[in-house]
């Protein structure tokens, strides 16, 4: 028995020591650098190459890289960044940008027109990510160190393109020449932005530190470092926020936000966004190839409930595919309502008075809001006699299924969260609704209407020079889409950003989702 | 006549199982004399092993329980001794060897180690001395090359060698009484003969008292001075070997002797006793042999038979004692 | 202590009573059996006493009542879509028992015959079967289940198949061991001696006598299987919304566990109770069938 | 050896029957049919299956487990980065389970059928019945939300992580900080480790306690223990020396099983505690359908498990009973 | 001479000891190593020897439960040692066996009626009713109640179970009954019952007995002839009374002297053998008994004695034994 007792004593002592250690919480140290800490629910850095990035990397990339211009959608104006000013020929085919001088890359190389040409050419050549935004560009010239000229094959608004959130970063081509084309993808970065990469651990964290030679210079109140922590659990992230360990959580459930909003220690910033949610309807499959059935589906969604209870009013019901606030959006267009009677009539007209068919809907796993929408909709469809089979799957699997060569394999309904690359209706309409026969981008309705195609491409060519005409063409295309209903336009989202109240200076820019532009922020008081 | 070294008085052991509770062992009186070889004989289930366990106060509880009785050994009632005292009696005063030498030895220690440990504990020897003494003991039990054997594990030894090791352990503390519980049960006859010879020799040499437990009367007949017979937990006959094996006493003794075939037997048909051994949990009332006994009378069923003295130191528990064929 | 085994034992009815006695002898086992019975009743009668069967069966939502704490109206509170958690947790009993039964049943269906054949026939057949079994056994079962479930695609059925694939080799091994020890038993030799066909020996003599350790193991595994399927659902590899599967409910509840602690508490508790009950039953059965721990 | 080949074959088979097309994934979202075909050729997917297997096997032998679709890193590199954190968690968790489970089981067996036994058995059976992730969440609520004793997740406080750099010796933060004298890091990481390790320990603790109890009881029923008592050896010697040594074999086997189980159980625990280890990586791979990563992990963990079992077999072979 | 009921010629039965990764046999246990044996029709033969001598293996070879490594086995004149399993119909029908262990020789999950009826179900196409009546008949013959058919083995005592096992063996009316230690696990009073029963059945049913036992007394009571084995070899063979009266092999003598007797008064001269039985993996050269033999000579270690006839039908394998010259068996 002696042995047992000794054991128990040892174990209890061990436990006590642990608890004692637990008792003394460390106080933050004085004199430490002021770090802006972001909790990200996923590893933000899928791709390190700014030419390839077409996803969640931009909040980090925009701290390290800059574009020639930056778009301010609320004022609908472009702000100079690396380019100081620009002009375009009347035919809309030649654009000239004059560059800021004295700008340096993190590696010390100077930023000039050759670098702009090289980095955009490389992006185009790689053809990854959002490289398609340069499709219209025929040739780029760098006649002088501070002048860049874009020659187009057909007119597009290059001013918007160079301000794109994707595929328009200016990175140092010399670094690549010196260290190999894979240099960035091996986890390195070299841009002109205010912060440079200090260290990173895949799946864990990215640490940025300030770039002393940044062209805008440094004052006292800027943050010294940016730490992006990967915290997959939103519960954990919220706790870290409350414990003052982080300044900003990228994504929080609205239930948590509702609570945090009441706490003066936090700043919940709400602003319009260009993100919206579609449910794309497989328009080539029985019975969904009948527009009346698609319209019926559009009438069966409990829009108000979704906005109130799923989105907690941080969203509005969409009017058409182009989100509110973006140019080209027309609030006068047709808007579907939640109307089961109307839905029943349409179904009856199409020959399905009691429903009697079932639909497969894929939902990206981990997307709580989409799952909720699906589950709520399931109940409504049941009332119409339509069975909804919800399948949550990883985004990639969902994506594979949607593009399956065997058309029969594809889903019936695809709930898609969408946001623009270039800030224009083109991103929405070309991405999701023009005919995509040889390869599908986001047209997961498999919708094809030559009339819509003509309108959309026509609008884009006019956009650079004749915004009014472009807007009108976009309006016409949207009207057709609303009537044909290849997708259900569920809601336009609002940006909800939760920050520690000590962080000041935050202004959301919906053209660059989740980008904070930490250089503009400063701290007042304690976290 | 020498004094009894061990004396069991009115010993009753009870077992509890799902089917009920029953007095499994019920011994009126049994004495083992100083320096003798006593043979306790009975079928499996007759309670002979239980007698050995009760003597050592090791009846597994549950399901068993000693409900009454006394076990006198060297002037002390072992059943009333405090556990610590009893621990000193076991091994030091009374040693036991059991039927299966393999399971009696701990498989993960060498046999030398096992002998040594008992020596260290009982004789307060240091490890080195104890080990030397252990090797000597292994030699005493006629194990050739005791050094090598001492370094072996039980499974590396043959059955006969294992039993010798067990005997060595039993002897290691100079016990006065050795209980050999079916010590040769699963051994071949030639090996069995060797062990019996060894025990006889050790007894001559050390004068140790041996309580020999067996299911075959022939085994003990050769080496025991006195024999006791158990049937279904009751002592039926006890007396000098020759007198008991003459077969004039208890009907069970007669039936048993008649049933065992012998080499060179000329009998065409063995004398058969009908029926089956009783359920030890629910033994028949009165004389437990009465359902199978030819001489059974109503009183056999009614009352536990009294002890009837047939001759010098020869008792029979039978209502019809003295009956002859 | 070796009591003679030749004492007449009670007849068949007595045997049942005897098992009953052994079950009730150990209070923990009794509790386990009791809970399992109650769970069965709950699973069968769920539609009768549950206030909102539509919340569980159809997944009908009632968003206006989202995340209500437990009250008289909602015994276990509501989830983020306003569904009655009590109804869902109770219906979850059905699913969990179903998963347990089907997954363990499937694993038994694969594992037992293979073990029987390998153990009885021995030789080359045994060699092949056991090598394959060894390979499967080199994966920790949960890992194998995760990998297979990830491959098969996400659904409850696939999760059950994945679990069965991860579990069968254990039964094969267990069965083989038992069969080998039985194969040399005289009654099997006797059957071979009299020319009984091998299949008949395997079924009538070997199989029926080797089932009890398998049954014990299966009842213990029942709990592990429920835990594993919950783990798969938790990782998003099992049940699909709006199925009221406990693991899936917990997985969703994880997003709200600090806002609405009851949300995760009740399904978790239900799972603990269920698994606990099966573990107790399994332990009890083992004690009953294992002569080594039997107190006779 | 045979088993290892079999394991690799099985994992390979799994990669083959994957529903998704790795070539299409490799070629990227906007790839054309030609690009996919080219990728297929580059990846060797146009070769017959046995050839593919041999290539796979030779790759595996050279430590090449393929490239993660999600991180675009070689899976081996990822694993090497994540393994130490997991290993630390598993080692500490298993140590806790032994430190508590063994005495619990022994105590339970020695005091069979007393209230002590009942309590120990109850703890043991609870240990094996708790859903890991649920236990994890409840511990978080209790120790973080209510008591505030332990942090919610992670391996170190983020501030500390920024200000202190502990040399990377073993990858075990506890050990590294202890050796290099970073006391603050040591304490902090201990606090971070406490809850996940405790969660991890629950199941093996119960299993070990159950096993040692039943093995001990079995041994107690053996003749040699009765005999040892008959020779008057003191109870202490009988229990701790004679019986325990015999009861260790099956416990060791169960322990190996537990270690394998724990290795996988961390998948769930790390996800909840945001522990930057293999489990988190796996959970992420599962959510994103990163098949090369899943298969790589499966293979590596299986191999570790096989090796673990091999070690146990070797240890068991030290038992004189199996030595022939 | 008539065809023997069962006959073994130079039968060897080796079992492999496997080791290593590939489980290749590294050694062989020579359980039976060249045995000749013949059991005449109607005879009762006893096979004695100590544990490990190969007697149980030998009968299992004779019944083709094992396929012999070498040598020939004939049953009623038909070669059965190496023929395919499908051709064993006669053997399986005409030869039955009773096992030592009365607890495990009966399937605990079958009732007695099913157990006894199984040979009938396998070999005949009797109707259910006929089958039941045959079972009942044999139960009565064994002195069991007819209602016992519905009970399960565990409800019977050891002696009763052995009767059930005998009933199962005899229900097909076989020609050969192999008794493997038929009474060694039951109590003395039941043993007498069984032995008497077996003796009377043999006369009644005209069946040949081959009894395996280590108990010479049982063999002497049950058998007309006796074969003594040591370490895989036959060392002596003859009529029971000849062997008992005049044991020729030193091992037989030692064996007989070791039998416990009720003669406590007169101490017999016991031949105590030294050492243990050597391993059957590496049997000693020459005469296998020589390391333990009290009468060994130098020759014994080199020369292996053959089984030679010493007197009418009495054979012995010993170099020192007086044998008839020039008459190999």
């Amino acid at each position: 028995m002696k042995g047992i007792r000794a054991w128990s004593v040892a174990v209890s002592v061990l436990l006590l020591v642990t608890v004692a250690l637990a008792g003394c919480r460390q106080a933050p140290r004085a004199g430490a650098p002021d770090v802006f800490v972001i909790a990200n629910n996923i590893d933000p850095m899928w791709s390190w190459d700014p030419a390839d990035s077409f996803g969640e990397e931009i909040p980090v990339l925009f701290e390290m890289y800059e574009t020639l211009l930056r778009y301010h959608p609320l004022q609908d104006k472009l702000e100079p960044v690396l380019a100081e000013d620009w002009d375009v020929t009347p035919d809309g085919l030649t654009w000239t940008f004059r560059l800021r001088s004295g700008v340096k890359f993190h590696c010390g190389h100077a930023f000039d027109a050759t670098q702009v040409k090289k980095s955009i050419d490389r992006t185009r050549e790689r053809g990854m990510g959002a490289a398609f935004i340069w499709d219209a560009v025929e040739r780029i010239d760098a006649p002088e160190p501070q002048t860049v000229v874009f020659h187009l094959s057909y007119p597009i608004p290059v001013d918007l393109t160079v301000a794109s959130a994707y595929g328009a970063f200016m990175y140092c081509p010399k670094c690549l020449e010196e260290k190999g084309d894979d240099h960035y993808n091996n986890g390195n970065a070299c841009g002109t932005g205010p912060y440079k990469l200090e260290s990173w651990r895949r799946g864990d964290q990215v640490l940025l530190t300030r770039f002393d030679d940044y062209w805008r210079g440094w004052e006292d109140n800027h943050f010294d470092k940016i730490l992006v922590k990967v915290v997959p659990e939103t519960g954990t992230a919220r706790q870290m926020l409350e414990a003052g360990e982080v300044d900003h959580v990228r994504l929080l459930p609205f239930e948590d936000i509702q609570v945090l909003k009441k706490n003066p220690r936090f700043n919940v910033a709400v602003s319009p966004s260009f993100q919206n949610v579609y449910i794309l309807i497989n328009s080539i499959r029985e019975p969904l190839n009948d527009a009346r059935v698609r319209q019926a589906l559009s009438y069966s969604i409990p829009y108000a409930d979704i906005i109130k209870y799923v989105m907690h009013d941080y969203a509005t019901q969409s009017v058409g595919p182009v989100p509110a606030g973006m140019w080209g959006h027309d609030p006068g267009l047709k808007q579907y309502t939640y109307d089961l009677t109307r839905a029943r009539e349409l179904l009856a007209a199409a020959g399905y008075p009691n429903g009697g068919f079932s639909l497969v809907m894929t939902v990206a796993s981990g997307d709580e809001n989409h799952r909720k929408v699906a589950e709520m909709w399931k109940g409504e469809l049941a009332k119409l006699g339509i069975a909804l089979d919800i399948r949550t799957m990883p985004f990639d699997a969902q994506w594979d299924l949607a593009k399956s060569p065997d058309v029969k394999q594809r889903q019936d309904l695809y709930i898609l969260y969408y946001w623009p690359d270039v800030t224009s209706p083109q991103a929405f309409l070309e991405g999701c609704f023009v005919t995509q026969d040889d390869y599908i981008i986001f047209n997961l309705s498999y919708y094809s209407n030559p009339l819509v195609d003509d309108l959309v491409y026509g609008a884009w060519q006019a956009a650079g020079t004749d915004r009014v005409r472009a807007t009108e063409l976009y309006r016409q295309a949207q009207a057709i889409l609303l009537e044909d209903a290849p997708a259900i336009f569920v809601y336009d989202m609002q940006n909800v950003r939760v920050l520690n109240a000590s962080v000041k200076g935050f202004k959301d820019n919906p053209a660059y989702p989740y980008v904070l532009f930490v250089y503009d922020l400063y701290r007042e008081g304690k976290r | 006549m020498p004094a009894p070294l061990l004396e069991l008085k009115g010993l009753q052991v009870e077992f509890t199982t799902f089917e009920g509770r029953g007095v499994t062992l019920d011994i009126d009186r049994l004495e083992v004399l100083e320096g003798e070889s006593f043979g306790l004989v009975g079928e499996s289930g007759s309670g002979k092993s239980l007698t050995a366990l009760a003597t050592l106060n090791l009846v597994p509880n549950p399901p068993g329980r000693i409900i009454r009785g006394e076990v006198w050994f060297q002037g002390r009632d072992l059943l009333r001794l405090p556990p610590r005292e009893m621990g000193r009696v076991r091994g030091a005063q009374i040693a036991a060897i059991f039927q299966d030498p393999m399971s009696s030895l701990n498989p993960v220690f060498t046999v030398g180690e096992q002998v040594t440990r008992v020596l260290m504990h009982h004789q307060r020897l240091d490890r080195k001395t104890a080990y030397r003494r252990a090797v000597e003991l292994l030699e005493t039990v006629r194990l050739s090359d005791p050094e090598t054997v001492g370094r072996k594990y039980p499974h590396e030894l043959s059955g006969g060698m294992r039993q010798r090791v067990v005997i060595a352990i039993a002897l290691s503390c100079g016990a006065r009484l050795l209980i050999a519980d079916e010590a040769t049960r699963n051994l071949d006859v030639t090996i069995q003969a060797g062990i019996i010879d060894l025990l006889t020799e050790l007894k001559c040499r050390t004068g140790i008292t041996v309580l020999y437990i067996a299911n075959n009367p022939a085994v003990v007949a050769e080496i025991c001075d006195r024999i006791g017979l158990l049937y279904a937990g009751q002592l039926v006959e006890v007396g000098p070997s020759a007198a008991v094996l003459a077969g004039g006493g208890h009907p069970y003794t007669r039936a048993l002797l008649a049933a065992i075939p012998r080499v060179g037997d000329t009998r065409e048909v063995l004398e058969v006793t009908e029926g089956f051994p009783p359920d030890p949990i629910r033994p028949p009332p009165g004389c437990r042999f009465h359902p199978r006994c030819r001489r059974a009378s109503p009183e056999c069923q009614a009352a536990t038979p009294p002890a009837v003295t047939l001759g010098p130191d020869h008792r029979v528990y039978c209502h019809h004692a003295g009956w002859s064929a | 202590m070796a009591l003679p085994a030749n004492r007449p034992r009670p007849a068949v009815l007595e045997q049942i009573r005897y098992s009953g006695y052994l079950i009730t002898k150990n209070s923990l086992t009794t509790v386990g059996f009791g809970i399992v019975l109650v769970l069965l009743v709950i699973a069968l009668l769920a539609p009768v006493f549950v206030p909102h069967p539509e919340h569980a069966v159809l997944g009908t939502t009632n968003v206006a009542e989202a995340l209500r704490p437990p009250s008289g109206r909602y015994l276990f509170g509501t989830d983020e879509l306003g569904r009655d958690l009590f109804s869902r947790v109770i219906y979850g009993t059905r699913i969990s028992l179903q998963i347990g039964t089907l997954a363990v049943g499937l694993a038994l269906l694969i594992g037992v015959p293979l073990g029987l054949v390998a153990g009885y026939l021995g030789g080359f057949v045994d060699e092949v079967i056991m090598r394959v079994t060894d390979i499967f056994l080199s994966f920790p079962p949960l890992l194998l289940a995760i990998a297979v479930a990830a491959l098969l695609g996400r659904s409850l059925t696939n999760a059950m198949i994945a679990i069965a694939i991860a579990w069968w080799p254990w039964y094969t091994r267990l069965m083989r061991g038992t069969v080998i020890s039985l194969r040399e038993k005289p009654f099997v030799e006797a059957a071979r001696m009299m020319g009984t066909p091998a299949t008949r020996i395997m079924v009538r003599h070997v199989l029926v006598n080797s089932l009890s350790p398998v049954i014990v193991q299966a009842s213990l595994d029942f709990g592990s299987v429920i835990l594993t399927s919950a783990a798969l659902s938790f990782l998003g590899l099992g049940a699909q919304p709006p199925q009221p599967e406990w693991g899936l409910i917990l997985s969703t509840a994880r997003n709200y566990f600090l806002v609405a602690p009851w949300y995760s508490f009740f399904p978790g508790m239900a799972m603990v109770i269920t698994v606990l009950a099966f573990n107790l039953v399994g332990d009890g059965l083992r004690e009953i069938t294992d002569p080594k721990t039997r107190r006779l | 050896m045979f088993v290892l080949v079999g394991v690799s074959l099985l994992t390979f088979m799994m990669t083959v029957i994957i529903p998704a097309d790795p070539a299409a994934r490799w070629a990227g979202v906007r790839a054309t049919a030609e690009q996919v075909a080219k990728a297929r050729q580059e990846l060797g997917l146009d070769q017959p299956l046995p050839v593919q297997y041999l290539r796979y096997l030779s790759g595996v032998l050279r430590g090449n487990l393929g490239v993660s679709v999600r991180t675009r890193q070689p899976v081996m590199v990822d694993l090497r980065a994540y393994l130490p954190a997991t290993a630390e968690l598993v080692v500490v968790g298993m140590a806790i389970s032994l430190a508590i489970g063994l005495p619990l089981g022994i105590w339970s067996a020695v005091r069979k059928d007393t209230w002590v036994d009942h309590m120990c058995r109850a703890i043991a059976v609870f240990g094996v019945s708790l859903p890991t992730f649920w236990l994890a969440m409840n511990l978080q609520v209790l120790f973080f939300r209510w008591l505030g004793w332990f942090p919610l997740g992670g391996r170190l406080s983020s501030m500390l992580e920024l200000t202190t750099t502990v040399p990377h010796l073993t990858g075990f933060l506890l050990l590294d900080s202890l050796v290099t004298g970073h006391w603050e890091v040591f304490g902090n990481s201990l606090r971070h480790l406490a809850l996940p390790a405790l969660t991890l320990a629950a199941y093996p603790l119960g299993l070990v306690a159950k096993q040692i109890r039943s093995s001990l009881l079995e041994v107690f029923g053996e003749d040699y223990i009765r005999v040892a008592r008959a020779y008057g050896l003191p109870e202490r010697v009988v229990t701790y020396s004679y019986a325990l040594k015999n009861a260790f074999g099956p416990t060791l086997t169960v322990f190996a099983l537990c270690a394998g189980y724990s290795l996988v159980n961390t998948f769930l625990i790390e996800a909840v505690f945001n522990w930057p280890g293999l489990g988190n990586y796996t959970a992420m791979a599962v959510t994103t359908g990163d098949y090369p990563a899943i298969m790589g992990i499966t293979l590596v963990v299986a191999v570790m498990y096989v090796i673990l079992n091999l070690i146990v077999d070797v240890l068991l072979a030290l038992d004189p009973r199996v030595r022939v | 001479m008539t065809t023997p009921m069962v006959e073994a010629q130079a039968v060897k039965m080796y079992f492999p000891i496997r080791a290593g990764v590939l489980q290749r046999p590294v050694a062989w246990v020579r359980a039976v190593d060249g045995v000749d044996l013949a059991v005449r029709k109607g005879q009762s033969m006893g096979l004695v020897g100590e544990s490990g001598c190969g007697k149980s293996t030998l009968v299992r070879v004779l019944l083709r439960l094992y396929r012999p490594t070498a040598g020939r086995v004939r049953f009623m004149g038909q070669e059965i040692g190496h023929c395919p399993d499908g051709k064993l119909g006669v053997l399986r029908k005409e030869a039955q066996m009773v096992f030592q262990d009365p607890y495990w020789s009966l399937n605990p999950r079958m009732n007695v009626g099913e157990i006894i009826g199984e040979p009938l179900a396998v070999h005949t196409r009797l109707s259910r009713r006929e089958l039941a009546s045959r079972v009942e008949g044999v139960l009565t013959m064994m002195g069991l109640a007819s209602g016992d058919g519905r009970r399960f083995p565990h409800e019977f005592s050891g002696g009763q179970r052995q009767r059930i096992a005998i009933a199962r063996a005899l229900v097909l009316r076989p020609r050969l009954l192999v008794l493997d230690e038929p009474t060694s696990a039951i109590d003395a009073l039941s043993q007498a019952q069984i032995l008497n029963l077996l003796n009377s059945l043999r006369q009644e049913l005209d069946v040949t007995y081959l009894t395996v036992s280590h108990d010479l007394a049982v063999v002497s009571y049950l058998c007309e002839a006796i074969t003594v084995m040591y370490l895989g070899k036959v060392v002596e063979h003859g009529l029971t009374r000849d062997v008992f009266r005049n044991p020729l092999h030193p091992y037989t003598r030692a064996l007989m002297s070791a039998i416990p007797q009720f003669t406590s008064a007169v101490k017999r001269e016991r031949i105590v053998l030294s050492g243990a039985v050597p391993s059957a993996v590496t049997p000693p050269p020459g005469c296998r008994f020589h390391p333990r033999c009290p009468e060994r000579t130098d020759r014994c270690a080199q020369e292996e004695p053959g089984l030679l006839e010493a007197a009418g039908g009495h054979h012995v394998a010993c170099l020192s034994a007086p044998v008839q010259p020039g008459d190999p068996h």
Side-chain angles (χ1 to χ4, degrees), chain A residues 273-278 316-335 418 420 422-430 432-433 456 459 470-471 473-479 481-482 489-493:
Chain A
S273 86
F274 292 158
Q275 300 153 66
N276 57 8
V277 169
Y278 304 152
T316 50
Q317 189 188 336
S318 302
V319 184
V322 179
M326 158 114 28
W327 65 276
H329 173 81
D330 183 352
L333 285 167
K334 171 176 180 172
Q335 189 177 35
Y418 202 79
V422 179
T423 315
S424 85
Q426 190 71 13
F428 296 87
L429 298 174
E430 187 184 345
C432 301
F433 299 106
V456 171
T471 308
L473 292 177
Y474 283 136
R475 199 194 63 77
Q476 286 175 20
Q478 291 184 70
L481 288 173
L482 279 166
F489 309 107
V490 191
Y491 53 79
D492 298 345
M493 293 164 65

Side-chain angles (χ1 to χ4, degrees), chain E residues 226-241:
Chain E
I226 185 168
T227 299
V228 184
M229 286 182 73
Y230 182 80
L231 207 57
K233 290 269 195 194
V234 173
V235 293
E236 188 161 0
H237 166 76
L239 291 179
T240 309
R241 62 163 187 278

Side-chain angles (χ1 to χ4, degrees), chain D residues 82 132 145 158:
Chain D
Y82 289 110
T132 315
R145 187 85 174 156
S158 46

Side-chain angles (χ1 to χ4, degrees), chain C residues 140-143 146 224 227-228 230-232 234-235, chain D residues 86 89-90 94 127-136 196-205 257-273 275 278-280 282-283 301:
Chain C
L142 180 58
L143 177 73
I146 289 175
S224 322
L227 283 182
T228 308
L232 289 179
F234 189 74
L235 289 173
Chain D
T86 299
L89 184 57
V90 171
M94 292 308 286
V128 296
S129 305
L130 290 172
T132 315
F133 43 92
W134 185 71
L135 176 64
L198 216 58
T199 314
L200 188 65
Y203 185 89
L205 186 156
L257 199 70
C258 279
Y261 176 90
S262 300
L263 209 54
V264 185
N265 218 1
T266 52
F267 290 16
L268 302 165
I269 293 171
E270 290 183 7
V272 178
F273 283 105
W275 189 261
L278 205 56
N280 224 339
T282 313
V301 173

Side-chain angles (χ1 to χ4, degrees), chain E residues 250 254 271-273 289-290 292-296:
Chain E
I271 307 163
V272 174
L273 298 174
F289 185 58
H290 86 262
R292 301 176 73 200
C293 184
E295 299 164 29
R296 65 173 168 265

Side-chain angles (χ1 to χ4, degrees), chain B residues 53 56 58 87 90-92 94-98 100 102-109 113-114 117-118 121-122 153 155-156 166 169-170 173, chain D residues 113 219 222-238 240-247 318-324:
Chain B
L53 291 176
L56 292 165
L58 280 176
R90 288 183 208 132
I94 306 176
I97 56 180
F98 296 94
D100 185 353
M102 184 65 209
S103 63
S104 300
L105 292 171
N106 195 327
V108 298
F109 293 101
E113 167 78 15
Q114 297 187 49
R117 281 201 178 219
V118 178
H121 177 68
H122 282 292
Y153 287 95
H155 69 274
E156 297 172 302
V166 174
I169 295 177
C173 344
Chain D
D113 287 325
V219 173
E222 296 283 349
D223 280 345
Y224 54 81
I225 294 298
R226 218 173 63 215
V227 170
R229 288 189 179 130
Y231 295 148
L233 286 184
E235 204 56 25
R236 181 173 42 82
V237 175
V238 170
Y240 291 105
S241 174
Y242 265 47
L244 212 51
K245 200 169 171 190
N246 278 287
L318 294 179
D319 185 328
R321 275 171 293 187
V322 262
R323 244 194 266 150
V324 182

Side-chain angles (χ1 to χ4, degrees), chain C residues 223-224 226-227 270-280, chain D residues 128-130:
Chain C
S224 322
I226 291 176
L227 283 182
M271 196 143 66
V272 173
I273 290 170
T274 309
V275 176
L276 194 69
F278 279 102
N279 277 333
L280 290 176
Chain D
V128 296
S129 305
L130 290 172

Side-chain angles (χ1 to χ4, degrees), chain E residues 264-281:
Chain E
S264 69
V266 195
K267 287 277 179 191
R268 288 172 301 127
E269 194 53 44
R270 204 191 328 249
I271 307 163
V272 174
L273 298 174
S274 59
V277 183
S279 150
V281 180

